[in-house]
Amino acid sequence: MTQVTERGTPLPAAPRAGVRRRSPAAAACVVGGAVAAGLGLGFLAVLVIVLWISSPYPDSGPGGALHLAAGLWLLAHGTELVRYDTLSGIPAPVGMTPLLLVALPVLLMRRAARLGSAAEEDDEEVLPAAAVFSAVLCGYLAVGALATVYAAGGPMPADPISAAWHIPLVAVLAAAGGVWGARGRPLGPLPSWLPGGVRKAFVRPRYALALRAGAGGSLVLLGGGALVVGASLAWHGTEVQASFLSLTGVWSGRFAVLLLALTLIPNAMVWGAAYGLGPGFALGSDVTATPLGFPGAPGLPRFPLLAALPAEGPGTPLTWAAAGVPVVAGLAVGWFAVRRAREVSYGETALTAALGAVVCGLTMAGLAAASAGPLGSRRLSEFGPVWWTTGVAAFAWTAVLAVPVAVAVHAWRTRPAIGPEGSDADEVGAGDDRWHDSGVREIRWAALRKAAGALVPEMAAPVPPAVPVVPVTPVPEPVAVPAVPGRRAVTVVSGLDLDPGLLAPKPAEPVEPVSAPLAPPVVGARVLARRKPVPE
């Protein structure tokens, strides 16, 4: 039987058992993930089409340009491409990912996850974080699978195995960051399946400080790497300019080379940091550039960034100066690992600095792995820093310097305050209330009065007024009055005789004005906080 409303319109049928109700919010999240992937593809497609139109010698039609744009989008996720049109006829892998290009899919995916976690209206359905994460991820991966199939018909198809795990990895990290940011960046609680000791340990402020210290050290290393690369580009300015002008003679080609060099600047920063740490970076299967020396690599392609490599031969004091980058990074980790609290022990501070060094090492290892990759076969099969040696070097440099620096900074911040006349205020105030009864306040007041001179007059100690003695009359027992229905019971106390003169208000005594000038405020005085007694 169909139910109708008062106006005669039929009511919607109730959902049957076993049939789940479709959520429009979940569908919107799926569409949002697909749109995020489509926007990244569209941006690269427009850029490639513009360069293809402006090129005087296009190699293929618009279809080839669109296939190339799909390949670049996959390369932005870390997917390895395969180049078949080589001189030797052997397929050459291209696996070096421009790190600046990775920011495009990450930002779009993160924005889609944030929009899916927010509700524009009060009555709009808000999905749980896991549902938003799964829905956005499904839409994004669906477009990624289609892009992988489409790029297979182009000049640089993607390796299916590489695309099968690189695209989900980037999408998962970006979507998790977006949902976490939309939920207010909560730091807990951790999942219940973890051991109780682990969940309790991660709520301590030690780990937040370690993350901050490790992030600070990593940023210092990257900034130092950028400084090393910039100094090398300026030192080899003539070679860099000649390499840039010799690649192509048209403005569209030079613009493409410039864009490629800009997208590879973050990679160059990581390589500069690895160079300063000591392991350096590989420029082939048997060539490594380190501050101790560079044997040279004759088979390198012509590119402006590669023209700024150090000169061949052993290291010089100029190349050894790159070791100052990890030194500053270790000092930064030690500085950020110190808590502004006196109750923290030296062992806790040292452990926090060591954990910060671990975070810095892991971060640099991940960046080194992301910035490296093959650019071809044979000699160019290994290009960039080795991730594990870079991570170990970053941990060793920062741990050796950060731990003693953190302990020294903690000792300086928690040093005892020195009072006037060289008295140790911590020794005076520790243990009990000796700070109040040891005469320290009188000593300070005397010093201030002596420095002020005649501005602070001598004042006699006030004499306490005499307290009048009032005779007390014995109070008899109270007399209880029987209660009347509907009224309160009243207790009458008699025999309370007081002197009426005691209750009368007394006239206020005139106060003579003080002719002495007021003391000016004391500048440079240090006020010590009163400490609680330490239980024995």
Side-chain angles (χ1 to χ4, degrees):
M1 181 177 178
T2 304
Q3 298 180 355
V4 297
T5 61
E6 297 179 356
R7 298 183 179 180
T9 57
L11 291 174
R16 293 177 298 174
V19 178
R20 299 185 62 182
R21 177 177 174 269
R22 295 181 179 179
S23 173
C29 291
V30 174
V31 174
V35 169
L39 288 176
L41 276 169
F43 175 80
L44 293 178
V46 171
L47 183 61
V48 172
I49 288 293
V50 169
L51 293 177
W52 174 78
I53 293 174
S54 60
S55 176
Y57 309 106
D59 296 335
S60 59
L66 293 178
H67 283 88
L68 180 60
L72 289 178
W73 185 80
L74 296 174
L75 183 63
H77 294 78
T79 304
E80 186 175 297
L81 305 181
V82 181
R83 185 166 54 91
Y84 289 97
D85 53 343
T86 59
L87 297 177
S88 60
I90 301 176
V94 179
M96 180 176 295
T97 303
L99 294 183
L100 190 60
L101 203 61
V102 180
L104 177 64
V106 169
L107 292 178
L108 291 174
M109 187 61 172
R110 186 175 182 272
R111 179 178 178 272
R114 287 180 62 89
L115 292 179
S117 302
E120 298 180 358
E121 300 178 1
D122 296 338
D123 56 348
E124 189 176 353
E125 180 184 7
V126 179
L127 295 177
V132 174
F133 173 79
S134 302
V136 174
L137 194 61
C138 288
Y140 195 90
L141 294 181
V143 178
L146 295 177
T148 305
V149 174
Y150 181 75
M156 296 179 64
D159 185 7
I161 299 178
S162 178
W165 71 274
H166 277 100
I167 297 177
L169 177 63
V170 175
V172 164
L173 294 178
V179 174
W180 180 64
R183 301 295 177 178
R185 297 180 179 87
L187 298 178
L190 294 177
S192 57
W193 50 267
L194 289 175
V198 175
R199 286 187 279 112
K200 291 180 180 179
F202 273 91
V203 300
R204 297 177 181 177
R206 173 199 308 164
Y207 300 97
L209 288 174
L211 290 176
R212 184 185 68 173
S218 302
L219 291 177
V220 171
L221 285 175
L222 293 177
L227 182 61
V228 170
V229 173
S232 182
L233 287 173
W235 187 266
H236 301 85
T238 305
E239 293 85 349
V240 172
Q241 183 180 4
S243 175
F244 179 75
L245 296 177
S246 63
L247 287 176
T248 179
V250 296
W251 69 269
S252 59
R254 292 178 179 178
F255 183 69
V257 172
L258 181 61
L259 286 180
L260 181 59
L262 291 178
T263 56
L264 288 173
I265 284 180
N267 299 62
M269 294 170 58
V270 179
W271 295 2
Y275 184 83
L277 287 170
F281 50 90
L283 294 172
S285 57
D286 53 353
V287 178
T288 303
T290 63
L292 300 179
F294 176 51
L300 291 178
R302 187 176 299 175
F303 194 71
L305 291 179
L306 296 179
L309 291 173
E312 300 180 8
T316 61
L318 189 62
T319 60
W320 301 339
V325 174
V327 172
V328 178
L331 298 179
V333 172
W335 176 268
F336 287 114
V338 181
R339 291 179 56 189
R340 296 182 178 273
R342 289 179 175 267
E343 64 272 8
V344 180
S345 63
Y346 291 103
E348 178 75 12
T349 302
L351 181 58
T352 304
L355 291 177
V358 172
V359 172
C360 183
L362 293 177
T363 303
M364 293 307 300
L367 291 176
S371 65
L375 282 180
S377 56
R378 298 178 181 176
R379 289 186 177 181
L380 298 182
S381 59
E382 298 178 6
F383 212 80
V386 181
W387 66 270
W388 67 270
T389 57
T390 304
V392 170
F395 166 73
W397 275 99
T398 53
V400 169
L401 295 171
V403 173
V405 168
V407 173
V409 172
H410 178 67
W412 173 259
R413 289 182 177 178
T414 58
R415 69 189 186 280
I418 305 301
E421 306 298 336
S423 60
D424 194 339
D426 278 355
E427 294 180 358
V428 174
D432 51 8
D433 244 2
R434 290 179 296 168
W435 189 88
H436 293 273
D437 54 8
S438 61
V440 176
R441 291 183 297 176
E442 289 76 4
I443 294 174
R444 291 187 176 184
W445 174 249
L448 291 175
R449 186 174 55 192
K450 182 179 180 181
L455 297 179
V456 182
E458 295 284 347
M459 300 181 64
V463 180
V467 180
V469 180
V470 181
V472 180
T473 306
V475 181
E477 296 292 334
V479 180
V481 180
V484 181
R487 298 183 180 179
R488 296 181 179 179
V490 180
T491 302
V492 180
V493 180
S494 60
L496 184 59
D497 298 332
L498 295 176
D499 188 3
L502 296 177
L503 302 178
K506 296 182 179 180
E509 299 180 359
V511 180
E512 297 181 0
V514 181
S515 59
L518 297 178
V522 180
V523 180
R526 184 176 181 183
V527 180
L528 297 178
R530 179 180 177 182
R531 292 194 169 192
K532 297 182 179 179
V534 179
E536 298 181 358

